[in-house]
Amino acid sequence: MDPKRFDVQGKVALVTGASSGLGDHFARSLAASGAIVMAAARRTERLQKLVSDIAATNGRAHAIALDVADPSSVEAALAQIVALAGAPDIVVNNAGIAQTKAAMDLTEADWRDVMNTNVDGAWRVAQASARAMVAAKKPGSIVNIASILGLRVASHLLAYATAKAALVQLTKALALEWSRYGIRVNAVAPGYIETEMNAGFFKSEAGQSMVKRVPQRRIGNAAELDGALFLLASDAGSYMTGSVIVVDGGHSNSSL
């Protein structure tokens, strides 16, 4: 195996939802491997710290104000990225939100907020990025961050599970259409991954009860998603498009 096929050195990588959690991790991992990272999110004050941290380790990154729920914000962000470094080579569609409510209690606004960010937002970013790639006559890789809840379901997460299932189908449909342009579209479907937002919960009694359902009897850490991310983002995955890689400690295969 040639390890150079996993190389992302000098590639322009857009990461959405980069102000915290998995997005922050993906941005740092890509920058540490030599990519020019466009760290995008609504909370630009947190992006500034991320960009500073990356610069302190001799990485390259730019903070990009982006609200994926706002079409004009997406258009402006892509224009800024193209002006800074050219069309993106890699797009990590990571921005997402959830509403934890019983289906009977979910409001119209709750539903639309989740769909507008998790599905519409991913489509907006993918389309704008693909248009930039085609205009620049360059191939590219789009990696959508889905979830095992796009493949199975859990209580009180109706909108989120529906949105992630839609994101899986969006991935496959775009892969079919955009292969002719040299644009690959794939997805990573994580299981339970520890982040700053959920670490406390998974240490609680309720959280530990959920962990017991995972065959490996633990939750994952963000670094354990890097293998799938770099496979899909780099030339190592050049014959992969429309694929969904599940990284969940066997959770989605657990007994019904």
Side-chain angles (χ1 to χ4, degrees):
M1 183 191 77
D2 182 0
K4 291 181 181 178
R5 289 187 60 78
F6 288 88
D7 186 20
V8 295
Q9 184 78 32
K11 300 291 187 182
V12 179
L14 165 60
V15 181
T16 70
S19 60
S20 63
L22 296 183
D24 177 286
H25 172 79
F26 294 145
R28 293 175 190 272
S29 290
L30 287 162
S33 297
I36 305 167
V37 173
M38 302 293 155
R42 292 177 298 176
R43 295 179 292 178
T44 53
E45 71 284 354
R46 296 197 63 164
L47 292 179
Q48 294 300 337
K49 181 182 184 307
L50 169 63
V51 168
S52 295
D53 288 349
I54 289 172
T57 57
N58 297 316
R60 291 173 288 176
H62 299 273
I64 307 292
L66 170 63
D67 180 358
V68 301
D70 179 356
S72 62
S73 176
V74 173
E75 184 178 344
L78 262 295
Q80 183 182 0
I81 290 166
V82 170
L84 283 169
D89 300 284
I90 299 163
V91 176
V92 183
N93 244 332
N94 170 75
I97 61 172
Q99 284 284 358
T100 307
K101 288 185 179 181
M104 288 285 190
D105 298 327
L106 204 66
T107 68
E108 182 77 18
D110 293 335
W111 178 269
R112 283 292 351 134
D113 283 348
V114 174
M115 293 298 162
N116 197 22
T117 297
N118 296 13
V119 184
D120 302 353
W123 167 70
R124 291 183 188 107
V125 171
Q127 185 188 60
S129 298
R131 284 174 171 169
M133 293 172 188
V134 171
K137 297 182 179 179
K138 67 190 293 189
S141 172
I142 297 172
V143 183
N144 294 323
I145 306 303
S147 167
I148 59 170
L149 286 173
L151 308 173
R152 294 184 65 172
V153 294
S155 296
H156 296 85
L157 284 164
L158 170 65
Y160 184 81
T162 303
K164 291 300 185 178
L167 185 58
V168 167
Q169 289 300 96
L170 177 76
T171 297
K172 295 178 180 182
L174 294 182
L176 181 64
E177 286 201 30
W178 292 349
S179 289
R180 70 194 69 184
Y181 303 115
I183 299 171
R184 297 183 296 107
V185 188
N186 295 287
V188 177
Y192 294 157
I193 304 294
E194 184 171 353
T195 67
E196 62 191 60
M197 293 180 65
N198 65 27
F201 170 74
F202 282 116
K203 291 185 172 102
S204 71
E205 185 176 345
Q208 284 299 301
S209 177
M210 293 180 71
V211 170
K212 289 177 182 177
R213 301 176 199 166
V214 181
Q216 289 192 358
R217 296 296 189 271
R218 66 179 181 88
I219 60 173
N221 61 71
E224 290 177 302
L225 299 175
D226 287 350
L229 175 67
F230 278 80
L231 170 62
L232 298 177
S234 70
D235 288 342
S238 57
Y239 200 52
M240 298 177 70
T241 196
S243 299
V244 180
I245 299 180
V246 176
V247 185
D248 71 346
H251 193 180
S252 55
N253 292 322
S254 59
S255 174
L256 295 174

